[in-house]
Amino acid sequence: MSETASPGPGLRERKKQRMYQEVSEIAVRLFLERGFDAVSVAEVAAAAGISKPTLFRYFPAKEDLVLHRIADHEGEAARVVAGGPTPLAALRRHFLDGLERGDPVTGLNDHPHVLAFHSLLYGTPSLVARVYAYQQRSEAALAEVLGGGLEARLAAGQIVAVQRILAMENWRRIADGERVEDVRADALAAAERAFGVLAAGLPHLA
């Protein structure tokens, strides 16, 4: 019996996702040009050609206009783990693959727009607070996939912290002026060491 392909998103959903993307891009451009606190939600709505109430239907808070850019990564660790073969092996491979392709979430990307976005994200207190909440949700999703309970939450906290520290170190070096190619070898070695430490401390996940 041949499998039937699942239908893709409908027209209404595609239009909704396009609206999210377009408004977020306009907002981020304005924030990068003038600073997050210097741009009002009303100005973003006007630039996007929509009303302020309409904007708030899509983005309940101003910070969501920026966080939409990384929303797809929320719960990513949980999805990766679900693909096996073992939790740490899957996460290690995924992070190393991200380094190889210059995924911005690994910090190993020196595109000017990516660097500017990171500076906006981590240089704005209200956005830092929202990123922390985002990381907590990712951690909770990972803990759930790992079985729930205290042991799973402790493991998830360690894994998410390791990925964050690795990414921030890469971003810090590149933001300080180093080239991606000069950082890559160190970033790969650091990731291998970090996941080795995780495997030693969490042998049941290795």
Side-chain angles (χ1 to χ4, degrees), residues 76-94:
E76 186 172 63
R79 293 192 297 271
V80 170
V81 163
T86 67
L88 287 179
L91 289 165
R92 170 187 166 277
R93 184 69 265 161
H94 183 73

Side-chain angles (χ1 to χ4, degrees), residues 82-154:
T86 67
L88 287 179
L91 289 165
R92 170 187 166 277
R93 184 69 265 161
H94 183 73
F95 194 85
L96 291 173
D97 286 347
L99 290 173
E100 291 289 358
R101 66 176 183 270
D103 189 334
V105 77
T106 67
L108 196 64
N109 187 303
D110 60 359
H111 189 285
H113 191 73
V114 171
L115 292 176
F117 179 78
H118 278 164
S119 294
L120 170 69
L121 194 61
Y122 295 110
T124 307
S126 62
L127 291 175
V128 171
R130 291 302 287 270
V131 170
Y132 178 68
Y134 154 92
Q135 290 171 338
Q136 285 185 309
R137 291 192 298 272
S138 295
E139 188 178 306
L142 177 57
E144 186 67 25
V145 171
L146 294 178
L150 178 60
E151 187 174 343
R153 293 198 301 274
L154 290 171

